[in-house]
């Protein structure tokens, strides 16, 4: 039986040409890719992820010129934004060209396009000479993968070892998904915060960024996305002690196992049952390690993860967004 995990770009390209799925590294998170021109290949992405139909997928292209081919028009400000930010962690939602079929757009009249900065993804796209449709390579609603091992542990038994592959390109350097900007209206609308911040977009375009008006459906904005199995509680540093002490075990016979996600300068009250999942030194590192930390909590059957969010500055806005979603309906103890 052929091995799922591969290291050669050529092997990824031949799997894509044969209609298979290939999980691929990007600088944000790993994607689960298929030939964007093949509705049957793209349909399998949905089956493997357990993703409901009608969710659009991002079309990854080797260059901006290729990306524009999937859109019927692109406003000048969006071209300028792409000039500055591509290759990079930015997805643009544009009016679709006929080539962008319903299998990519979820039946909407828009298409999401992105040019990733990851050299391995870029090489696959160049050799493939097509576009790759790819959502994040996780089960629907779960935490996105930032290593090939994460993909294998989440989707390995759902992929077909005859046709599908996981291309190992090392850990992702950004760690949270791309910024999504809706460019179908008069100015930039932020559908999902990411590595490119709202202030970057305002500086580059000279336009003010608005939040989405809900007209465009972006399922990544479902409130309960990005959930680990553990209960996630958000806490400010001055509440940490009290919150840790208030957590009751899920199983009353053993002490609770609590994972902590906080910057290195947040000191942990001495508690035998608290396991520090990461201690990032800055927000960029926080973004890079966040999803691995949440997975680690699940792999070790932790009941609860307490996260002290970073400041909302820069990529901190994306981290706060993902943490809020991970904690949704669970335990955000902070005041609104
Ligand atoms: O960083 C990323 O963006 C990663 C890497 C693999 O590129 N991809 C990713 O894909 O996060 P996914 O499918 O997990 O999240 C993409 C989001 C979804 O919420 C989807 O609804 C939205 O982008 N999206 C894609 N095309 C869209 C469209 N035409 N209109 C509105 N939203 C769109
Ligand atoms: Mg996703």
């Amino acid at each position: 039986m052929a091995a799922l995990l591969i290291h050669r770009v050529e092997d990824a390209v031949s799997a894509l040409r044969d209609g298979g799925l290939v999980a691929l590294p990007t600088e944000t998170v790993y994607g689960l890719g298929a030939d964007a021109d093949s509705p049957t290949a793209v349909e399998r992405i949905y089956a493997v992820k357990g993703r409901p139909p009608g969710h659009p997928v991002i079309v990854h292209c080797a260059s901006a010129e290729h990306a524009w081919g999937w859109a019927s028009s692109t406003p000048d400000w969006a071209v300028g934004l792409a000039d500055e930010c591509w290759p990079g962690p930015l997805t643009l939602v544009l009016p679709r060209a006929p080539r962008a079929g319903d299998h990519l757009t979820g039946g909407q009249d828009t298409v999401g396009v992105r040019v990733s900065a990851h050299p391995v993804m870029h090489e696959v796209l160049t050799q493939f000479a097509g576009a790759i449709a790819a959502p994040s390579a996780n089960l629907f609603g779960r935490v996105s993968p930032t290593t090939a091992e994460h993909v294998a542990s989440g989707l390995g038994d759902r992929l077909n070892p005859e046709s599908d592959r996981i291309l190992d390109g090392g850990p992702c350097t950004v760690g949270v998904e791309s910024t999504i900007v809706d460019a179908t209206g008069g100015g930039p609308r932020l559908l999902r915060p990411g590595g490119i911040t709202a202030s970057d977009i305002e500086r580059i375009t000279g336009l003010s960024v608005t939040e989405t008006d809900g007209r465009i459906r972006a399922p990544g904005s479902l409130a309960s996305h990005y959930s680990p199995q553990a209960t996630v509680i958000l806490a400010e540093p001055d509440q940490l002690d009290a919150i840790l002490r208030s957590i009751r075990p899920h199983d009353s016979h053993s002490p609770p196992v609590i994972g902590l996600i906080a910057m290195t300068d947040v000191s942990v009250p001495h508690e035998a049952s608290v396991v520090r999942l990461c201690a990032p030194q800055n927000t960029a590192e926080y973004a890079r390690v966040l999803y691995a930390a949440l997975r680690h909590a699940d792999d070790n059957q932790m009941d609860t993860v307490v996260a002290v969010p970073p400041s909302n500055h820069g990529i901190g806005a994306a981290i706060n967004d993902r943490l809020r979603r991970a904690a949704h309906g669970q335990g955000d103890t902070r005041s609104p």
Side-chain angles (χ1 to χ4, degrees):
M1 193 166 71
L4 272 177
L5 199 66
I6 56 170
H7 291 87
R8 283 160 35 106
V9 165
E10 295 74 15
D11 296 336
V13 171
S14 66
L16 289 168
R17 290 216 175 103
D18 292 342
L21 303 186
V22 180
L24 302 143
T26 80
E27 72 278 37
T28 56
V29 300
Y30 272 71
L32 183 60
D35 178 357
D37 284 306
S38 166
T40 43
V42 172
E43 259 163 40
R44 278 203 54 239
I45 295 177
Y46 287 77
V48 166
K49 273 182 66 87
R51 197 185 212 199
H55 285 219
V57 289
I58 297 172
V59 178
H60 295 75
C61 300
S63 68
E65 289 62 41
H66 286 123
W68 307 145
W70 293 86
S72 60
S73 63
T74 309
D76 288 345
W77 64 260
V79 175
L81 186 60
D83 274 350
E84 285 279 325
C85 300
W86 279 349
L90 171 75
T91 296
L92 288 173
V93 172
L94 297 164
R96 70 167 161 179
R99 186 181 180 189
D102 288 345
H103 64 290
L104 300 171
T105 70
Q108 302 185 90
D109 52 12
T110 59
V111 62
V113 287
R114 156 154 141 80
V115 179
S116 163
H118 200 291
V120 172
M121 180 60 151
H122 188 260
E123 190 53 32
V124 172
L125 282 163
T126 306
Q127 289 191 22
F128 181 54
I132 296 174
S136 52
N138 51 283
L139 282 174
F140 180 68
R142 293 280 159 214
V143 176
S144 294
T146 54
T147 65
E149 292 75 33
H150 293 167
V151 179
S153 72
L155 298 180
D157 57 1
R158 302 171 69 100
L159 292 168
N160 178 348
E162 296 306 322
S163 58
D164 305 334
R165 299 288 177 263
I166 300 170
L167 178 59
D168 189 349
C172 301
T173 53
V174 176
V176 292
E177 301 83 350
S178 61
T179 303
I180 305 181
V181 173
D182 171 12
T184 63
R189 267 193 297 248
L190 189 64
L191 298 182
R192 181 175 70 185
I196 307 284
T197 65
S199 58
D200 292 334
I201 298 164
E202 296 193 330
R203 177 177 48 77
I204 294 163
T205 63
L207 300 168
S208 52
V209 170
T210 52
E211 301 291 320
T212 176
D213 60 4
R215 187 174 60 85
I216 294 235
R217 288 183 297 120
S221 55
L222 290 176
S224 62
H225 242 69
Y226 311 104
S227 315
Q229 311 277 349
T231 303
V232 178
I233 297 175
L234 307 188
E236 293 298 349
D238 60 354
Q239 305 169 307
L240 189 56
D241 215 355
I243 286 170
L244 289 175
R245 268 187 279 110
S246 72
I247 294 169
R248 297 278 150 257
H250 285 190
D251 162 7
S252 56
H253 300 294
S254 47
V257 183
I258 304 169
L260 179 71
I261 295 178
M263 294 283 229
T264 186
D265 58 358
V266 175
S267 57
V268 189
H270 189 71
E271 283 253 6
S273 58
V274 176
V275 177
R276 190 145 202 163
L277 294 167
C278 58
Q281 309 216 20
N282 51 50
T283 48
E285 187 184 349
Y286 200 133
R288 202 154 53 234
V289 300
L290 173 63
Y291 288 158
L294 292 171
R295 277 170 186 269
H296 187 80
D298 282 352
D299 291 346
N300 292 280
Q301 285 88 40
M302 295 185 181
D303 297 321
T304 309
V305 171
V306 176
V308 180
S311 84
N312 220 34
H313 188 71
I315 200 166
I319 299 169
N320 273 279
D321 171 74
R322 304 311 190 272
L323 283 174
R324 269 196 304 276
R325 293 175 200 283
H328 180 71
Q330 299 186 344
D332 187 351
T333 59
R334 302 177 307 164
S335 39

